[in-house]
Amino acid sequence: MAPEKLTAKLSLPGGKEASLPVIVGTEDEHAIDIRALRNDTGYITLDSGYMNTGSTQSAITYLDGEAGILRYRGYAIEDLAEHSDFAETSYLLINGKLPTKAERSAFSTALTRHSLIHEDMHHFFLGYPPTSHPMAVLSAMVTSLSAYYPDSLDRNAPVDLHITRVLSKVRTIAAFSYKKSIGQPIIYPKNSLKYGENFLHMMFAVPSEDYVVSPVIAKALNQLLILHADHEQNCSTSTVRMVGSSGANLYAAIAGGILALWGPLHGGANQAVIEMLEHIRNHGGDYKKFIDDVKNKRDNRRLMGFGHRVYKNYDPRAKILKKMCDEVLAHLGIKDPLLDLAKGMEEIALKDEYFVSKKLYPNVDFYSGIIYRAMGIPTNMFTVMFALGRLPGWIAHWKEMVEDKDTKIARPRQIYTGEKARKFLPVEQR
Ligand code: ACO
């Protein structure tokens, strides 16, 4: 039996009424389809910050912010973090199903084979001052990849190879930019290593001695990347879709996502959390006073790593990361005073009326920075790590968008609040 067609009625000033179709998702989420609203009534909807606007239908990630649920292609984030690895999860996000053994092996081989960047691109790194933020370098390098693969500009050309390239090469670019920033020689990728291990090798090996990747650190990195791999229509993913909707190539769309991720209210929050904790420690460690400042909105302070547009419950990723944080620091024998500060602040905030009433819980960035710090990754590289993790999500959304025959160029409307038409006055008369 065909499902019942639901409609919503909208009463408009002047007695006019609009009948709007209701769309229901597989998890029983309901949306009012307003696509015909302006044509039928002359009205648009206004929703700054897209608090209440669905921009697409998507089969990639399901997230229930009230219940603290996150699933990629139907699989619980907890299961993927425990049992999968980043390459397999990337395959899942991009292709919609877990790979068979043969598909998994072919995908890993392709990622390994495409890890090098064109030798000429090495010169680009030399042009940046040592103080450059690695997100600036990363976004520019990803855009530059399109110059080396001009067939990516052809909208009818196959995309699989470009997907493999971007997924594999961003890891190399990230590690090379770190090596350049600290004045060490670039370490080339090693084909015998898996995705995460290869990245750690390029980051931390030096030509003068052997580097052995710790399995505990490799597992933690895999889990971190999986936890960041997708989060449906967030700021950076929507940017990727928006840039891609104009027909711009995959590299351009991913570079757009990287730039959107950079901001401290989004992926830049992991760096901002560590800076906040360091600030508190350097000013005597009085975190209760800091929380008081946050609650009273002094200097527009926020508890970085807390709060989320969608999660109004504990972020399931933060739960996994808090546990991982203890394990990684214990394995490395590190006692980080910033972790004690973070735990103290979390404990207070979770009981405090300000945070409870606003449903502010730790998000994915609250503990990730402490883990990256323990791994030896510098603070200004944290957002690059986030970008590396988010890549398969961005790619999956870009692919879903270009394959969807209903895709239109993203072009919101506005309500104009400026001057009415006025006459131009020559400069002598103003
Ligand atoms: N600390 C203190 N107060 C906060 C915080 C916070 N971290 N987050 C939200 N609030 C308060 C706001 O001041 C506002 O209070 P008001 O109603 O009295 O004005 C209320 O909670 C609602 O906040 P908004 O900013 O309107 O919520 P929004 O959904 O737009 O913002 C955001 C979500 C940007 C994540 C916000 O919670 C924030 O700034 N958090 C800190 C930055 C951060 O950790 N970002 C990473 C998010 S996860 C990610 O992108 C990977």
Side-chain angles (χ1 to χ4, degrees), residues 86-87 90-91 94-95 103-117 142 145 149 151-152 157-173 189 191 195 198 202 250-251 254 388 391-396 398-399:
F86 182 61
S90 300
Y91 184 100
I94 296 165
N95 298 295
E103 286 163 341
R104 198 181 128 130
S105 154
F107 188 62
S108 292
T109 306
L111 288 177
T112 303
R113 291 277 151 79
H114 289 280
S115 57
L116 286 172
I117 55 171
V142 171
L145 285 175
Y149 304 108
D151 60 313
S152 65
V159 295
D160 285 358
L161 192 52
H162 295 297
I163 288 176
T164 309
R165 282 185 181 133
V166 78
L167 205 47
S168 188
K169 291 178 200 304
V170 163
R171 168 186 57 162
T172 311
I173 291 169
N191 283 4
Y195 190 94
N198 212 349
M202 286 190 276
L250 173 65
Y251 302 101
I254 299 294
L388 195 56
L391 264 180
W394 288 335
I395 295 168
W398 178 85
K399 188 165 179 275

Side-chain angles (χ1 to χ4, degrees), residues 51 264-267 269 273 294 297 301-309 312 317 354-355 358 360 363-365 386 390:
M51 304 279 290
L265 299 187
H266 191 14
V273 169
V294 167
K297 302 193 191 303
R301 277 208 173 128
R302 285 201 166 193
L303 180 49
M304 299 311 285
F306 256 69
H308 199 278
R309 171 61 61 80
K312 301 301 167 197
R317 304 166 300 172
Y354 174 94
F355 296 92
K358 293 182 190 299
L360 301 171
N363 60 48
V364 69
D365 286 324
F386 193 150
R390 186 52 57 88

Side-chain angles (χ1 to χ4, degrees), residues 278-429:
E278 278 175 341
H279 169 89
I280 297 169
R281 188 191 53 184
N282 296 341
H283 287 79
D286 188 353
Y287 59 85
K288 292 181 184 156
K289 155 95 176 48
F290 188 90
I291 291 202
D292 202 54
D293 287 349
V294 167
K295 284 162 53 178
N296 288 296
K297 302 193 191 303
R298 283 186 203 114
D299 303 325
N300 287 325
R301 277 208 173 128
R302 285 201 166 193
L303 180 49
M304 299 311 285
F306 256 69
H308 199 278
R309 171 61 61 80
V310 185
Y311 288 120
K312 301 301 167 197
N313 197 331
Y314 211 105
D315 182 336
R317 304 166 300 172
K319 235 181 240 170
I320 300 171
L321 284 171
K322 188 177 179 186
K323 188 164 161 270
M324 186 201 299
C325 202
D326 285 328
E327 286 166 8
V328 169
L329 268 65
H331 167 75
L332 294 171
I334 292 175
K335 182 120 189 45
D336 189 341
L338 296 194
L339 178 59
D340 298 334
L341 269 182
K343 284 188 173 171
M345 291 172 90
E346 181 191 334
E347 201 181 323
I348 294 186
L350 290 182
K351 288 188 202 131
D352 190 289
E353 178 52 23
Y354 174 94
F355 296 92
V356 173
S357 64
K358 293 182 190 299
K359 299 189 175 159
L360 301 171
Y361 292 88
N363 60 48
V364 69
D365 286 324
F366 196 61
Y367 286 105
S368 64
I370 297 174
I371 306 173
Y372 284 135
R373 202 170 120 96
M375 285 177 172
I377 291 169
T379 312
N380 69 356
M381 280 283 290
F382 290 177
T383 316
V384 170
M385 299 305 296
F386 193 150
L388 195 56
R390 186 52 57 88
L391 264 180
W394 288 335
I395 295 168
H397 282 273
W398 178 85
K399 188 165 179 275
E400 185 175 67
M401 183 210 55
V402 293
E403 287 172 356
D404 181 352
K405 58 178 178 17
D406 287 339
T407 292
K408 289 192 184 310
I409 185 167
R411 203 311 186 177
R413 298 229 171 219
Q414 64 161 18
I415 294 293
Y416 175 68
T417 58
E419 298 284 347
K420 285 208 177 251
R422 46 183 170 165
K423 210 167 156 30
F424 179 83
L425 286 181
V427 70
E428 313 77 55
Q429 293 175 31

Side-chain angles (χ1 to χ4, degrees), residues 17-59:
E17 202 173 74
S19 184
L20 303 162
V22 169
I23 292 177
V24 185
T26 38
E27 290 286 350
D28 209 30
E29 294 166 302
H30 286 57
I32 299 169
D33 181 349
I34 56 157
R35 279 174 288 189
L37 184 65
R38 188 171 178 279
N39 260 353
D40 293 352
T41 68
Y43 281 79
I44 64 161
T45 56
L46 183 61
D47 183 21
S48 327
Y50 310 122
M51 304 279 290
N52 205 43
T53 292
S55 56
T56 188
Q57 300 189 51
S58 175

